[in-house]
Amino acid sequence: MTVWDVVLLVFAGIAGGLTGSIAGLASVATYPALLVVGLPPVAANVTNTVAVVFNGVGSIAGSRPELAGQGAWLKRIIPVAALGGVAGAALLLSTPAEGFEKIVPFLLGFASVAILLPRREHRSARVANHRDHLIRTGVEAAAIFLITIYGGYFGAAAGVLLLALMLRAGGATLPHANAGKNVILGVANLVASAIFVVFAPVYWPAVVPLGIGCLIGSRLGPIIVRHAPSTPLRWLIGVAGIALAIKLALDTY
């Protein structure tokens, strides 16, 4: 790689870290940059997943105030995210990408619209019965498992899907949902990366500058979410997700 390639990857990492820690759109900036510097698609995909691990490190560190009180829920859901990341990595290494990629624009478009829709008031825990709680918890875990499979497989906009799920199902505020999303995606990326390091063509000279950029950008993202007005930021995330869904659909079809 040239010096300009390194500079490009650092800035792409910063952009990816910011967008990833805010909206789960890190790969929208980082993956194309790896293609620009000359990596073939599969190598770019696995190299991107490894580099985005640094995005998880920075975003989780920046989200510590919002993670307070979420420990019990995260302990239950982290194994689900880890299994999803393993399944996604195995899927990437064993199957062609075309079929899976065709559904991504629709998933992303649905999630983006869900983020934009006003949320209903949730019933209090005293009103909801135990059976409803178990069903809701099981459905949420299954949805997170499917999303983290996608995250381990490719990952572009997996965070938007997670953010939509957590905002709609859990009734969390945007900063708290974003913090939980950062942990879940970070776990899925980490386990997928461990598999790619052993079995896939990771291009390490690109991982270093891209990872440094991701670390810088992702550390700043949660601060922006914490202090920015939630409604305009939610609309920005939703509109960006719809735009990406349209672009992916045009590229795919």
Side-chain angles (χ1 to χ4, degrees):
M1 293 193 305
T2 67
V3 173
W4 293 112
D5 289 338
V6 172
V7 172
L8 170 65
L9 290 176
V10 170
F11 278 97
I14 293 173
L18 278 169
T19 57
S21 59
I22 293 172
L25 294 168
S27 293
V28 178
T30 55
Y31 178 72
L34 291 167
L35 297 177
V36 168
V37 301
L39 272 66
V42 172
N45 193 12
V46 298
T47 300
N48 179 67
T49 300
V50 174
V52 169
V53 168
F54 292 93
N55 184 70
V57 173
S59 61
I60 292 170
S63 300
R64 283 178 296 177
E66 288 76 24
L67 289 173
Q70 297 196 55
W73 177 77
L74 287 171
K75 287 178 181 178
R76 292 195 301 269
I77 213 66
I78 279 175
V80 175
L83 287 174
V86 170
L91 187 65
L92 175 68
L93 296 176
S94 60
T95 62
E98 289 81 2
F100 200 78
E101 288 175 350
K102 287 182 178 179
I103 69 170
V104 171
F106 300 100
L107 290 173
L108 177 56
F110 175 80
S112 300
V113 171
I115 287 176
L116 293 175
L117 291 175
R119 290 182 291 163
R120 295 176 300 173
E121 291 296 326
H122 289 264
R123 294 179 300 171
S124 70
R126 289 176 296 179
V127 176
N129 61 45
H130 182 64
R131 180 174 175 272
D132 288 344
H133 174 72
L134 289 177
I135 292 173
R136 189 163 56 248
T137 300
V139 170
E140 181 185 55
I144 289 174
F145 178 65
L146 292 175
I147 293 170
T148 51
I149 289 176
Y150 171 53
Y153 179 86
F154 179 57
V160 174
L161 300 173
L162 273 174
L163 197 57
L165 172 68
M166 296 171 71
L167 286 171
R168 303 299 299 181
T173 64
L174 179 59
H176 286 81
N178 186 65
K181 175 264 295 178
N182 289 337
V183 174
I184 293 170
L185 272 190
V187 170
N189 280 335
L190 180 62
V191 296
S193 296
I195 294 174
F196 292 154
V197 166
V198 178
F199 296 106
V202 178
Y203 187 62
W204 292 102
V207 168
V208 174
L210 193 62
I212 290 172
C214 282
L215 187 62
I216 296 170
S218 63
R219 187 63 180 82
L220 299 174
I223 299 174
I224 295 174
V225 174
R226 186 176 304 132
H227 296 289
S230 61
T231 298
L233 187 58
R234 183 166 55 85
W235 273 87
L236 179 62
I237 294 169
V239 171
I242 291 172
L244 177 59
I246 293 171
K247 181 184 183 304
L248 291 175
L250 293 174
D251 291 343
T252 303
Y253 296 97

